[in-house]
């Protein structure tokens, strides 16, 4: 069986899908790394909504996908960028997602950490930004989940310099009930976050970021760095106080960062581990045995797919993630909140399908092929 896929020039090429998936089954809990998958939300395809309407979520399918991740030993990073926070999912929807997912995690014994931001306001004073963070922190803590303090568009707009970040984050860390994860999301993921930590100079921003952590090491479980810069992450990782973890958010360089070096390693909190979940879990179990070569042999081949999904404009990677979830049979449709399924081109989808199929990621390759052909036909490809 073959399928005709369009390339970047619009020409069709013949691709022969694989017939068997990788054999990926749940296994023992991880022992060497803490690993979170930032999970996507499944839209309700029957809801009568427009792109600027509040999100209509298919809760059954959304929670089922989280159970899939937990079954393979992965933690779930909830209500994060991958769940379209600020790109289709508003705070009301995120709050419900947090409550539902946290309850599900408790029921099945899954690990969960949830995003705390300020997206219930579009702008405001520093006091209003701090209050917005406090409201969301209370929701996450009441749910029983760990908190991830996300970068805030409103804080980026309101802050006049590094001292404002030190004040706001210091206040939040002092009142946090349990150690949190700090999240530094770069402007390639969200242009509104340019100059976060008070400077567009990354060296200066890094100094402020580390100053926040050094002042409250007992309240920081770890940091998630999403700058797509492996050298900078390694530098930050080596400068962290003892006991503070680095969770890589680098979807371009994650195998080498998780494997680490003679001076340390990164744990993981990654959007790419949404489509890679079972394969990533198997790779980490190999790493648990001390077999770095075997870990890299499993995970290195996935980087091509990740770099494709996260190519500029990087913030639209969510479209590829949901597309692959549909092909893999985790949801019955390719519809996204906010209409974001339109954010990538047909050649982009075709290459994503080819790369994922080549890795053996689809539990049912025939189903994935049929769904890819359905999409192609909607775009007018008839052979």
């Amino acid at each position: 069986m073959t399928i005709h896929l369009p390339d970047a020039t619009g020409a069709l090429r013949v691709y022969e899908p694989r017939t068997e998936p990788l054999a990926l089954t749940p296994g023992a809990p991880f022992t060497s790394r803490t690993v979170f998958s930032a999970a996507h939300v499944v839209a309700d395809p029957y809801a009568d909504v427009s792109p600027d309407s509040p999100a209509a979520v298919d809760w059954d399918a959304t929670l089922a996908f989280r159970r899939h991740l937990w079954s393979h030993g992965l933690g779930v990073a909830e209500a994060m960028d991958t769940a379209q926070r600020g790109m289709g999912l508003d705070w009301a929807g995120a709050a419900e997602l947090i409550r539902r997912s946290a309850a599900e995690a408790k029921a099945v014994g899954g690990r969960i950490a949830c995003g705390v931001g300020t997206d219930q306001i579009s702008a405001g004073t520093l006091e209003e930004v701090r209050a917005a963070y406090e409201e969301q922190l209370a929701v996450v803590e009441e749910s029983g989940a760990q908190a991830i303090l996300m970068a805030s568009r409103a804080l980026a707009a309101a802050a006049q310099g590094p001292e404002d970040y030190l004040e706001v984050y210091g206040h939040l860390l002092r009142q946090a009930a349990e150690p949190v994860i700090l999240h530094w999301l770069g402007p390639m993921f969200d242009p509104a976050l340019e100059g976060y930590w008070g400077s567009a100079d990354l060296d200066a921003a890094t100094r402020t970021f580390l100053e926040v952590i050094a002042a409250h090491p007992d309240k920081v479980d770890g940091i998630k760095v999403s700058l797509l810069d492996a050298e900078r992450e390694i530098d930050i990782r080596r400068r962290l106080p003892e006991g503070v973890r680095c969770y890589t958010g680098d979807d371009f360089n994650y195998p080498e960062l998780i494997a680490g070096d003679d001076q340390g390693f990164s744990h993981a909190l990654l959007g790419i581990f949404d489509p890679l979940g079972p394969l990533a879990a198997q790779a980490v179990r190999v790493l648990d045995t001390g077999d770095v070569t075997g870990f890299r042999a499993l995970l290195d081949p996935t980087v091509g797919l990740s770099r494709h999904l996260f190519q500029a404009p990087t913030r639209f990677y969510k479209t590829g993630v949901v597309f692959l979830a549909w092909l893999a049979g985790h949801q019955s449709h390719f519809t996204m909140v906010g209409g974001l399924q339109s954010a990538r081109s047909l050649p982009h989808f075709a290459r994503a399908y080819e790369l994922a199929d080549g890795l053996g990621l689809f539990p049912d390759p025939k189903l994935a092929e049929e769904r890819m052909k359905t999409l192609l036909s909607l775009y007018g490809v008839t052979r």
Side-chain angles (χ1 to χ4, degrees):
M1 298 295 292
T2 60
I3 185 171
H4 290 82
L5 301 175
D7 62 22
T9 71
L12 294 178
R13 54 192 169 77
V14 176
Y15 173 70
E16 183 175 344
R18 67 184 292 157
T19 57
E20 296 293 332
L22 287 178
L24 301 170
T25 57
F30 308 142
T31 58
S32 67
R33 303 291 188 275
T34 299
V35 181
F36 289 96
S37 166
H40 73 281
V41 293
V42 182
D44 179 355
Y46 304 122
D48 185 13
V49 295
S50 63
D52 57 357
S53 300
V57 177
D58 181 337
W59 294 112
D60 289 342
T62 293
L63 295 176
F65 187 76
R66 280 135 183 83
R67 290 194 296 272
H68 155 71
L69 294 173
W70 285 318
S71 76
H72 286 276
L74 298 159
V76 168
E78 189 57 276
M80 301 287 290
D81 186 54
T82 305
Q84 296 182 241
R85 287 289 290 270
M87 291 186 68
L89 188 70
D90 61 12
W91 166 236
E96 184 170 3
L97 177 63
I98 288 165
R99 293 185 180 104
R100 286 176 179 260
S101 291
E104 195 74 13
K106 185 177 181 179
V108 303
R111 183 165 186 167
I112 188 168
C114 299
V116 171
T118 63
D119 45 329
Q120 69 271 54
I121 62 173
S122 58
T125 64
L126 287 176
E127 291 73 18
E128 290 168 333
V129 169
R130 189 172 66 186
Y133 263 129
E134 289 174 334
E135 178 189 354
Q136 295 200 15
L137 179 60
V139 169
V140 171
E141 290 186 338
E142 288 166 5
S143 77
Q146 184 178 17
I148 304 172
L149 293 186
M150 300 193 301
S152 161
R153 293 175 182 173
L155 180 55
Q160 298 299 304
E163 63 283 351
D164 290 336
Y165 289 90
L166 292 170
E167 191 282 325
V168 170
Y169 276 90
H171 176 85
L172 294 170
L173 289 172
R174 283 190 295 272
Q175 73 176 58
E178 300 291 341
V180 308
I181 298 173
L182 296 181
H183 184 195
W184 184 358
L185 189 69
M188 68 288 294
F189 289 92
D190 187 341
L193 299 177
E194 182 70 44
Y196 210 74
W197 303 111
S199 178
D201 180 292
L202 288 180
D203 290 334
T206 297
R207 286 193 293 271
T208 302
F209 183 49
L210 290 170
E211 188 175 346
V212 169
I213 299 163
H216 308 277
D218 59 321
K219 287 298 187 74
V220 181
D221 164 69
I223 63 167
K224 168 175 158 58
V225 183
S226 298
L227 298 175
L228 303 183
D229 183 336
E231 291 185 4
R232 183 167 296 278
E233 177 175 322
I234 291 170
D235 174 66
I236 294 173
R237 185 174 76 196
R238 291 174 178 173
R239 295 162 66 185
L240 291 173
E242 185 176 355
V244 176
R245 309 182 205 195
C246 180
Y247 294 92
T248 186
D250 189 332
D251 299 278
F252 284 2
N253 304 293
Y254 51 92
E256 65 186 83
L257 291 165
I258 298 170
D261 54 32
D262 58 359
Q263 296 185 56
F265 57 83
S266 295
H267 300 270
L269 197 165
L270 288 160
I272 192 57
F273 281 6
D274 179 303
L276 292 184
L279 178 55
Q282 181 169 312
V284 174
R285 290 191 180 93
V286 170
L287 185 60
D288 286 344
T289 70
D291 184 359
V292 176
T293 301
F295 166 79
R296 295 294 297 268
L298 283 170
L299 215 54
D300 281 0
T302 69
V303 172
L305 172 63
S306 189
R307 286 178 175 260
H308 177 72
L309 295 182
F310 284 79
Q311 68 182 227
T314 303
R315 64 188 181 277
F316 294 129
Y317 77 88
K318 280 82 81 174
T319 301
V321 165
V322 175
F323 169 67
L324 293 181
W326 172 55
L327 293 186
H330 294 299
Q331 54 194 82
S332 62
H333 59 86
F334 180 35
T335 304
M336 298 178 66
V337 299
L340 205 64
Q341 67 271 14
S342 65
R344 292 296 199 188
S345 68
L346 183 62
H348 181 90
F349 293 137
R351 183 61 176 154
Y353 162 73
E354 182 178 7
L355 289 168
D357 181 71
L359 291 169
L361 294 184
F362 301 129
D364 184 344
K366 185 62 179 176
L367 174 66
E369 178 188 348
E370 291 172 353
R371 289 185 169 182
M372 186 68 223
K373 286 180 175 178
T374 296
L375 184 71
L376 289 166
S377 69
L378 292 174
Y379 279 78
V381 179
T382 57
R383 64 186 177 93

